[in-house]
Amino acid sequence: MGNNHASLDDILAEDMHHWYNKFMKESPSGLITLFELKAILGLQGMNEDANSYVDQVFITFDMDGDGYIDFVEYIAAISLMLKGEINQKLKWYFKLFDQDGNGKIDKDELETIFTAIQDITRNYDVVPEEMVTLIFEKIDVNGEGELTLEEFIEGAKGHPDIMEMLRKTMDLTSVLVIIVEGRQKPNNCK
């Protein structure tokens, strides 16, 4: 009974008016900039890799590329994280990993993102180099040192251990909790 957190599955069940109010409370202009996102999530003063990762997350959620996350993009991002099908999530991961936008991910890009995620989450259970080595050993069957979107999706889906590792590494639950609960002062009102 003392649990104040809604289950993540219930989050999207809230009505749009409620979501809109939360969004507008955090960003009264109706648009969230990269700087505001970092402030909302309490992510200022990070190292270069972690900062680059947050920048990349912002870019992937800024679907129209205008430099802002609007309400529709905000809802789409939350929906993807909570309810997205595995192919949708893998496409999003790929876009996040493909830092230079060339349609392929290489070992350096993957390691940079994994290192950045660890710097943000403070979860150092697995060494990024080991994750990258495992992914490329199992998925890069041609040995090219790069993965296309198709190779990445099919390879990840074909290896449950890689899927589990990606799921754990890319878990954005802590970010969602901040978004859902906002930066509200504790109060007794709902």
Side-chain angles (χ1 to χ4, degrees):
M1 285 235 156
N3 186 0
N4 294 333
H5 301 287
S7 80
L8 292 180
D9 287 335
D10 294 335
I11 292 171
L12 286 178
E14 296 183 42
D15 65 69
M16 280 299 139
H17 181 72
H18 182 73
W19 274 107
Y20 184 74
N21 286 340
K22 284 184 179 191
F23 179 80
M24 292 305 290
K25 184 174 184 175
E26 289 295 338
S27 185
S29 70
L31 300 170
I32 297 175
T33 64
L34 176 59
F35 178 80
E36 289 169 331
L37 178 68
K38 288 178 182 179
I40 289 168
L41 300 177
L43 299 176
Q44 297 96 342
M46 299 175 297
N47 69 33
E48 187 177 331
D49 283 344
N51 204 41
S52 175
Y53 168 70
V54 175
D55 293 354
Q56 193 71 11
V57 168
F58 183 88
I59 290 166
T60 62
F61 286 148
D62 177 17
M63 294 176 231
D64 61 8
D66 66 355
Y68 300 96
I69 295 176
D70 62 28
F71 181 66
V72 172
E73 291 166 332
Y74 170 82
I75 290 296
I78 292 171
S79 178
L80 172 66
M81 289 188 283
L82 292 177
K83 300 284 187 184
E85 297 294 323
I86 192 63
N87 278 3
Q88 292 171 312
K89 287 183 179 183
L90 288 171
K91 284 179 186 175
W92 183 75
Y93 295 163
F94 185 89
K95 186 175 178 184
L96 188 62
F97 297 149
D98 184 16
Q99 293 178 303
D100 61 10
N102 71 350
K104 297 179 180 181
I105 51 176
D106 61 35
K107 292 179 180 181
D108 289 338
E109 288 173 317
L110 206 53
E111 188 174 324
T112 298
I113 293 294
F114 288 153
T115 301
I117 292 168
Q118 287 185 339
D119 289 340
I120 292 169
T121 63
R122 305 285 186 241
N123 178 355
Y124 300 99
D125 291 344
V126 182
V127 179
E129 296 87 5
E130 292 174 11
M131 290 190 284
V132 171
T133 299
L134 177 67
I135 288 170
F136 274 83
E137 280 176 1
K138 291 190 174 190
I139 297 178
D140 185 20
V141 292
N142 299 339
E144 300 167 328
E146 295 180 319
L147 300 173
T148 64
L149 175 62
E150 296 75 23
E151 287 174 317
F152 178 72
I153 290 174
E154 292 308 312
K157 287 170 59 177
H159 295 88
D161 55 337
I162 290 178
M163 284 299 299
E164 181 63 13
M165 182 178 57
L166 287 171
R167 187 191 62 72
K168 285 181 179 177
T169 304
M170 303 302 292
D171 182 9
L172 298 176
T173 301
S174 59
V175 172
L176 274 178
V177 168
I178 293 168
I179 290 170
V180 170
E181 295 179 355
R183 298 179 52 153
Q184 305 169 12
K185 309 288 183 274
N187 62 35
N188 296 331
C189 303
K190 184 164 180 170

